[in-house]
Structure formats: C-alpha cells, structure tokens
Amino acid sequence: MTHVTLFLLIQFAFASSITPGPNNLMLMASGANYGMRRTIPHMLGVSLGHAFMVLMIGLVLLRAFAAFPILNTLLTIGATVYMTWLAWKIATAVPPEARAVEGRPFTFLQAAAFQWVNPKAWVMGITAITAFAPQDWSVFAGSLLVAGVFLCTNLPSITVWAALGVQVRRFLGTSQRLRIFNVTMAVLLIASLYPMLVH
C-alpha cells in the first residue's frame, strides 16, 4: 500500500464518517435529548461496532453476499423496518406536556448492533474494503487495516454530531421545541433510507 492510497483511505473514512447519515442523526438527537455524557456509550458502540463490521465484511461477508444474493434483499427489508421503528421512537421521545425526556439513550451494544442494519455503514464498509484493502496483503491484514483506519477517524467525526446536538439543546428549552426537533430528526432518518431503497 502506498502512502497516497493510505491517505485516500483516511480521507474516505473521514468524509463518510462525518457526513449526515443514520448514526450521526441519531447521535445528534441523543446529544440534544440526553447530553454528551449519557451519549458516550452510544458513540463508542458506533465506532467500535462499525470497525468490527468492516473487518467482517472483508473477511466473510463479501463472499456470502456473492453466493447468496437474497441476503441483500433481506438486509434491505430488515433495515427499513428497524429504522422506521427507530424514527418513531425518536419522534415520540418527548411527551406533549412534559419537559423531561422519556426513554434512554442507546447502550454500547445497541449502537454496535445497529451498524448491521445501517445502510450507510454497509456502503462505507463495502466500498472501503473493495477500493482500499491492499491486494498484495493477506485478506485479514488488509481488512484489519481498513477497519483500523475507520476506528481512528470515526470517533472524532461522530463526536462532532453529538456535540452539535448538545449545543442545539440550549435552544430547545421547551417541550414543544424539542418535539419539533425530534420529529425533524425522525423524518431525516427515514429520508436517509432513500438511496438504499432506490438502488
């Protein structure tokens, strides 16, 4: 692997991690609803869970999808149903007449598991493995390198979104404003499914 290729991999991992997507929208909503400290397990689950997923894509899953194309359809259906349910949970996180937020932020394991139904996470992982894993390295070493780069770039990127949610919280002093914010985040989460559904 050349230094140029490594730089391009880092650039891809950073750009795809910091741009809007289901993880970042959910972290922004979590930061706004629960604050930074309570959102940290969610953030760690996203970063470590996605890095593990990228490693598994390189080692196993590309072969499985090539052998069994039906898996792609099942993933699409599962992701759509699950993310629609999550959008509903976000939209209804604040009761109409209460200032306190109901519910709990994602745990580490919930956030890590979410990566497996996150369409953007799949696209990021498959693209990175196929485009940047060194062909002259072993499958394990190449997959580990790509996963490691994502691990190092993802956490700082998603922290920006959680922190943005915390800052937005200052302007959401009423239950009505927080409800509007949460519904907006839910709609954007559903909209993020569009590329997967039309592909």
Side-chain angles (χ1 to χ4, degrees):
M1 169 174 265
T2 66
H3 289 90
V4 172
T5 305
L6 179 60
F7 173 77
L8 291 174
L9 170 59
I10 293 169
Q11 184 179 31
F12 173 79
F14 174 74
S16 57
S17 294
I18 203 166
T19 50
N23 278 322
N24 290 336
L25 293 172
M26 290 172 61
L27 284 166
M28 186 176 177
S30 182
N33 284 285
Y34 306 111
M36 182 63 85
R37 185 182 62 80
R38 294 183 67 195
T39 301
I40 289 174
H42 186 167
M43 293 162 52
L44 293 174
V46 168
S47 287
L48 292 170
H50 185 255
F52 177 74
M53 177 184 169
V54 170
L55 181 63
M56 290 298 100
I57 286 172
L59 295 179
V60 178
L61 296 174
L62 286 181
R63 295 186 202 105
F65 276 98
F68 304 102
I70 188 67
L71 292 176
N72 189 46
T73 302
L74 294 175
L75 175 66
T76 301
I77 294 169
T80 301
V81 170
Y82 185 64
M83 290 180 65
T84 301
W85 178 79
L86 284 176
W88 172 254
K89 295 295 285 182
I90 290 171
T92 59
V94 181
E97 302 302 328
R99 295 177 63 91
V101 177
E102 287 186 337
R104 295 172 298 166
F106 258 29
T107 65
F108 173 87
L109 290 177
Q110 287 172 325
F114 174 71
Q115 304 317 300
W116 296 91
V117 294
N118 179 355
K120 185 183 177 188
W122 278 97
V123 171
M124 290 164 60
I126 291 171
T127 302
I129 288 291
T130 56
F132 297 106
Q135 299 301 309
D136 54 342
W137 290 23
S138 70
V139 172
F140 178 76
S143 301
L144 190 62
L145 171 71
V146 175
V149 168
F150 266 102
L151 182 61
C152 293
T153 57
N154 185 266
L155 187 58
S157 300
I158 64 174
T159 300
V160 171
W161 285 85
L164 184 60
V166 172
Q167 294 304 312
V168 167
R169 185 179 189 174
R170 297 179 179 182
F171 301 101
L172 304 175
T174 66
S175 179
Q176 182 179 9
R177 289 179 189 167
L178 192 55
R179 169 61 62 88
I180 291 170
F181 173 80
N182 285 341
V183 169
T184 302
M185 291 295 102
V187 170
L188 291 174
L189 183 60
I190 292 295
S192 72
L193 288 171
Y194 177 77
M196 177 186 67
L197 295 176
V198 299
H199 187 269

